[in-house]
């Protein structure tokens, strides 16, 4: 099946090239699109399936020239700076995405952003930036941390390595003596700063950590803690253009939440990767709820108004976190990025930002998960639009809603009536109905080279 | 034949009897006494003024709701000379069939006892009681060895019983005809056909707006949804049971459903309800029942394996373990055709005596330390799915328990007992078959030909009122209407509508297994359009 497809693609490609020199100029409003897209992909999961099955897309191996690259961050780090990319080429990461996704850098950027907001717009506005728990970067802010630690005795803190994922290296503690051992190994004490050589210091600091105030009152559903995974697609930072995917999920911890067992890593961490190794994990279960299910559950419990306010607060997290790195990230028209945001709710239904992932897992845990991730990636490719089928004025593509376009995007179309009206609603539908197939049928023209169905 | 007037006074007397001594009664008396101090109460018109006061402060409404609830569960009135049994279930052969079915279940339970060497009931040692109390909120964390327990029965066993029902008045003299084997249910009960259903369910018609259809993403909310929600809020504010029930026919908004259902079922969470639940919880702590293991097993096999309900595992135990000890549920047997036979067992020490409901001629297993249990409802495979969707709406175990119990007592029990009630499973099965036979005869014939009797597939859906088969939001829309119309009839109609929807695919299959496969996944179905099309859009 694959070979036939491949050959068919090649035929189409060749024909297309013959016809129009590998471009298809749609009418003057549309971007130039390509009928044949050569892609590279370093992942072996759902992404590869989507790319394989996209009409007109052909995989190139190793050194071949490519138009599209779904690469991992390692490849990016090594090759981006040496690659020349023609105008039409697209790649799935921004060069310095880690400004947003590495915990220590994110904290730094958010803190700086908050200060700017406070200076420019006052305290009330700055309070809207208080969606990340009190965090200190170690070792540089160790002393600041200790000050704060002493001010709130008995509270729980969580230590996270900056660059690792999937819950590795994370632990909780309440007493400073619990991290004394760790500190000896990991941090240069201030006394030895001068005496250690640069090299030695670098080695010790290779793995920096952040220490964060642990949210002790998470929102529980029948005793279980969960966090939310939400997908955001950014196609440009300057100006900022970001899309929010309607589907997502709530990941449940397998065991009941209790502060008594700080050592029980399985309770506190809701990463699927960690839950997978927990003694009672049932792979069939998946421990996940679709976002729609969670939204309905919360609505049944708290009413529509409260839940709408909650989701507005969640939108706020996305927008402000992106704004905080807007000026730092090297904007590049070749780049787009699909982020996985991890959000935690507390008992007062306040959302907290836990983490942003530049490479959210696209491996599926079961059939439903596969379909969701397949659709997510497919819609991402629709938006990247190598084929030039979009006008650029769309507010919705499949399951993605345009959340920010150099300014807030509203559901209502702008007009004299809506000008200045307080009743504009944001163009986001997280956890809403995702009738993407129908929408795509109405929106998109057929693929170049395909007959209209 | 009693005339209407005396029938009414009997009903009133019954209701008054039931409400006497309840918390509501004492509250009303208290309110009436205290209001005497108020300036607007005058001696010469004291009765009227007190009534006015009670009305203005919402107490009359509370009483109305309570009366309304009693009317729901009152047994049908019958001839004054008729024994209660006969008014509960007028058809003798049905009574007999239910009695023998119950005997079979108890026998099966008994033999499980003997086989496994596990007592029917056992008092827990103090240490165990303490342990259970401390992990009351996380009973799901245990992984006890349940391999030797098997469910007492599964829906398909019950179906066999229904298929073998015999009406002794039925004349079989014309032998086997094509008609006599047209469908599985061999008895005739009066079931409604589509024209009658159209009259009975006008709110589901094409010209009437409702949730599940007119709140679709593409429909502007101003057309129906916003107004419906506004009315719903008013109904909740008014605290009117009857209004809530009527309202629910067009669906309950997600944000109001919990309150509306509690209103319809008149769940007031009075101190007596709380106390009752605490008592049951204490009973669970004190003794361990064989039935508990069946409950554990059922929850582990069904709800815990479900993508959405697994979160609710702990609270399901808290509800079901209490439920199995709740003798107040037994009072629903007063309108169920089943009469649990009673027998008393004395404790070895003579100190602990409980009534056990047990047929006297079934050999009894001597229970440890003489404790025997009050056996109420014996769960079958899938029983926990009656509770699981409710966990979506209610958080506190006590309230969840009250809601579940009321729903069981009004509706769910009819799905697994033999009676002639129009909401009973026998009628539902018959109605399902009739609807298919009349409106999709070709399909029915085809399925029968390939030995894929439709009822064999649909039965498991109906027994559970579709819980676990539909997606939760759709299920709740269906249950909105069950509450709204106070009838399970739509369960049968929906089953027929599902077959109608997938008729094309079903006509192509050639085996029972393929037919099952076509109907295996109902999670994408939208309930209200299916019902609406089947009832109102088909050419009759």
């Amino acid at each position: 099946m694959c070979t036939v497809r491949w050959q068919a693609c090649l035929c189409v490609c060749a024909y297309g090239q013959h016809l129009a020199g590998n471009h298809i100029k749609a009418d003057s409003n549309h971007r130039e699109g390509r009928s044949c897209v050569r892609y590279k992909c370093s992942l072996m999961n759902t992404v590869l399936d989507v790319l394989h099955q996209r009409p007109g897309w052909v995989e190139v191996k190793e050194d071949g020239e490519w138009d599209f690259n779904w690469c991992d961050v390692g490849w990016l780090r090594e090759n981006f700076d040496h690659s020349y990319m023609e105008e039409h080429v697209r790649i799935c990461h921004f060069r310095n995405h880690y400004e947003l996704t590495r915990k220590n850098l994110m904290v730094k950027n958010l803190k700086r952003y908050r200060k700017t907001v406070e200076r420019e717009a006052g305290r009330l506005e700055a309070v809207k930036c208080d969606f990340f728990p009190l965090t200190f970067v170690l070792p540089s802010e160790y002393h600041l941390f200790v000050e704060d630690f002493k001010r709130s005795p008995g509270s729980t803190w969580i230590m996270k390595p900056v660059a690792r994922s999937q819950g590795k290296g994370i632990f909780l503690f309440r007493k400073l003596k619990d991290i004394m051992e760790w500190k000896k190994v990991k941090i240069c004490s201030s006394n030895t700063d001068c005496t250690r050589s640069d090299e030695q210091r670098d080695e010790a600091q290779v793995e920096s950590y952040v220490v964060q105030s642990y949210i002790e009152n998470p929102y529980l559903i029948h005793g279980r803690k969960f966090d939310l995974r939400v997908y955001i697609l950014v196609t440009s930072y300057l100006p900022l253009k970001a899309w929010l995917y309607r589907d997502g999920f709530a990941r449940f911890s397998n065991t009941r939440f209790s502060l008594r067992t700080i050592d029980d890593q399985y309770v506190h961490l809701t990463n699927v990767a960690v839950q997978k190794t927990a003694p009672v994990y049932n792979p069939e279960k998946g421990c996940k709820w679709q976002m729609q299910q969670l939204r309905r559950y919360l609505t049944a419990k708290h009413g529509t108004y409260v839940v709408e306010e909650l989701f507005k607060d969640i939108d706020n997290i996305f927008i402000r976190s992106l704004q905080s790195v807007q000026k730092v990230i090297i904007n590049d028209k070749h780049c787009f990025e699909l982020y996985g945001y991890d959000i935690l709710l507390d008992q007062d239904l306040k959302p907290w930002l836990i983490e942003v992932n530049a490479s959210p897992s696209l491996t599926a845990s079961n059939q439903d998960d596969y379909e969701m991730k397949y659709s997510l990636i497919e819609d991402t490719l629709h938006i990247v639009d190598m084929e030039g089928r979009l006008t650029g004025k769309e507010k919705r593509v499949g399951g993605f809603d345009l959340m920010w376009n150099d300014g807030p995007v509203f559901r209502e179309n702008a007009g004299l009536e809506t000008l200045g009206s307080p009743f504009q609603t944001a163009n986001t539908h997280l956890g809403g109905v995702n009738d993407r197939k129908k929408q795509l049928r109405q929106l998109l023209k057929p693929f170049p080279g395909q007959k209209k169905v | 034949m009693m005339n209407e007037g005396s029938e009414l006074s009997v009903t009133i007397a019954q209701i008054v009897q039931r409400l006497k001594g309840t918390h509501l009664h004492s509250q009303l008396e208290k309110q009436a006494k205290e209001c005497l101090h108020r300036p607007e109460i005058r001696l010469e018109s004291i009765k009227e003024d007190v009534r006015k006061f009670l009305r203005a402060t919402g107490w009359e409404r509370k009483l109305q709701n309570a009366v309304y609830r009693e009317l729901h569960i009152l047994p049908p009135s019958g001839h004054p000379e008729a024994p209660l049994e006969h008014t509960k279930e007028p058809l003798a052969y049905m009574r007999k069939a239910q009695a023998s079915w119950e005997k079979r279940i108890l026998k099966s339970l008994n033999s499980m006892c003997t086989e496994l060497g596990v007592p029917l009931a056992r008092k827990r040692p103090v240490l165990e009681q303490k342990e259970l109390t401390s992990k009351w909120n996380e009973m799901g964390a245990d992984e006890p060895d349940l391999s030797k327990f098997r469910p007492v029965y599964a829906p398909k066993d019950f179906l066999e019983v229904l298929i073998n029902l015999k009406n002794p008045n039925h004349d079989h003299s014309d032998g086997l005809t094509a008609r006599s084997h047209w469908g599985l249910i061999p008895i005739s009960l009066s079931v409604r056909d589509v024209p009658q259903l159209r009259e009975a369910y006008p709110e589901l018609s094409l010209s009437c707006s409702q949730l599940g259809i007119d709140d679709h993403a593409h429909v502007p909310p101003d057309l129906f949804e916003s107004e419906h929600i506004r009315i719903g809020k008013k109904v909740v504010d008014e605290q009117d049971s009857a209004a809530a029930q009527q309202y629910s026919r067009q669906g309950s908004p997600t944000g109001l459903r919990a309150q509306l259902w509690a209103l319809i079922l008149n769940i007031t969470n009075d101190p007596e309800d709380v106390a009752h639940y605490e008592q049951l919880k204490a009973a669970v702590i004190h003794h361990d029942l064989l039935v508990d293991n069946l409950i554990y097993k059922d929850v582990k096999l069904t709800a815990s394996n479900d993508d959405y309900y697994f979160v609710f595992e702990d609270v399901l135990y808290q509800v079901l373990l209490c439920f199995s000890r709740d003798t107040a549920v037994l009072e629903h047997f007063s309108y169920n055709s089943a009469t649990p036979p009673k027998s008393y067992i004395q404790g070895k020490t003579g100190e602990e005596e409980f009534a056990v409901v047990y047929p006297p001629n079934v050999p009894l297993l001597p229970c440890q330390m003489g404790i025997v249990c009050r056996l109420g409802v014996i769960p079958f495979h899938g029983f926990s799915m009656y509770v699981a969707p409710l966990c979506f709406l209610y958080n506190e175990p006590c309230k969840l328990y009250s809601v579940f119990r009321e729903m069981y007592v009004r509706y769910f029990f009819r799905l697994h007992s033999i009676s002639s009630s129009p909401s009973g499973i026998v009628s539902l099965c018959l109605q399902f078959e009739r609807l298919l036979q009349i409106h999709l005869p070709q399909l029915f014939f085809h399925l029968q030909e390939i030995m894929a009797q439709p009822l064999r597939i649909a039965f498991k859906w109906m027994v559970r009122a579709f819980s676990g088969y539909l997606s939760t939001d759709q299920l709740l829309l269906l249950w909105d209407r069950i509450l709204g119309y106070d009838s399970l009839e739509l369960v049968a109609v929906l089953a027929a509508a599902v077959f109608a929807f997938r008729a094309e695919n079903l006509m192509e299959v050639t085996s029972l297994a393929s037919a099952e496969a076509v109907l295996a996944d109902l999670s994408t179905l939208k309930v209200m359009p299916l019902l609406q099309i089947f009832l109102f859009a088909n050419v009759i």
Side-chain angles (χ1 to χ4, degrees), chain B residues 4 12 25 34 50 60 65 82 104 117 133 139 179 248 295 324 391 395 409 433 435 459 481 516:
Chain B
E4 251 185 63
I12 294 174
H25 184 193
E34 285 176 4
V50 172
E60 189 186 67
N65 289 347
R104 257 180 75 180
T133 315
M139 283 186 274
R179 264 200 70 193
S248 185
I295 290 172
S324 62
C391 298
N395 228 347
V409 154
E433 289 195 317
L435 287 172
F459 188 71
R481 273 68 177 195
E516 300 254 20

Side-chain angles (χ1 to χ4, degrees), chain A residues 222 256 285 289 293 300 435, chain B residues 218 304 308 312 314 392 472:
Chain A
H222 285 283
R256 289 88 192 138
K285 268 193 261 176
W289 271 10
Q293 194 76 354
D435 52 344
Chain B
H218 295 300
S304 298
Y308 290 117
F312 305 131
D314 295 328
F392 243 74
T472 316

Side-chain angles (χ1 to χ4, degrees), chain B residues 203-359:
Chain B
E203 290 86 354
L204 300 184
S205 77
L206 293 163
S207 53
C208 195
S209 304
Q210 53 201 293
L211 295 183
I213 297 176
D214 299 285
D215 54 335
H216 194 266
H218 295 300
V219 179
D222 303 332
L223 282 181
F224 168 69
E225 200 182 351
S226 312
E227 181 61 16
H228 190 64
I229 293 175
R230 193 187 66 82
I231 297 176
K233 289 199 179 114
K234 260 191 99 179
V235 169
V236 171
D237 287 337
E238 290 289 308
Q239 286 288 293
D240 187 338
S241 271
Q245 183 161 9
Q246 179 66 30
Y247 175 82
S248 185
R249 294 182 180 189
Q250 289 174 281
S252 300
T254 311
L256 296 173
R257 184 177 276 125
Q259 293 159 292
L260 285 166
W261 284 21
L263 197 49
I264 297 173
L265 299 168
N266 200 34
I267 305 301
T268 47
N269 233 26
D270 283 337
E272 57 193 353
D273 296 325
V274 178
H276 181 67
Y277 180 74
E278 289 301 315
Q279 232 175 17
L280 293 171
K281 180 176 165 185
V284 176
I285 306 278
H286 279 127
H287 52 264
D288 175 28
L289 299 182
L290 170 65
V291 165
D292 291 350
N293 293 299
L294 302 175
I295 290 172
Y296 274 119
K297 186 140 193 175
D298 187 47
V299 173
K300 289 271 182 226
L301 285 179
T302 54
S304 298
N305 268 332
D306 188 287
D307 281 340
Y308 290 117
Y309 298 134
F310 72 89
V311 172
F312 305 131
E313 192 182 340
D314 295 328
V315 80
L316 286 173
Y317 295 125
Q318 292 178 356
V319 167
L320 289 167
L321 291 177
C322 291
F323 183 72
S324 62
R325 291 158 176 75
D326 192 343
T327 47
V329 171
L330 292 181
E331 94 184 359
H332 84 256
F333 282 95
S334 71
Y335 54 92
N336 187 354
S337 52
T339 327
K342 285 206 200 92
S343 140
Y344 286 82
I345 298 251
Q346 281 194 0
K348 284 193 183 143
T349 57
E351 283 170 24
E352 288 125 333
E353 264 182 40
F354 289 83
V356 68
V357 284
Y358 232 51

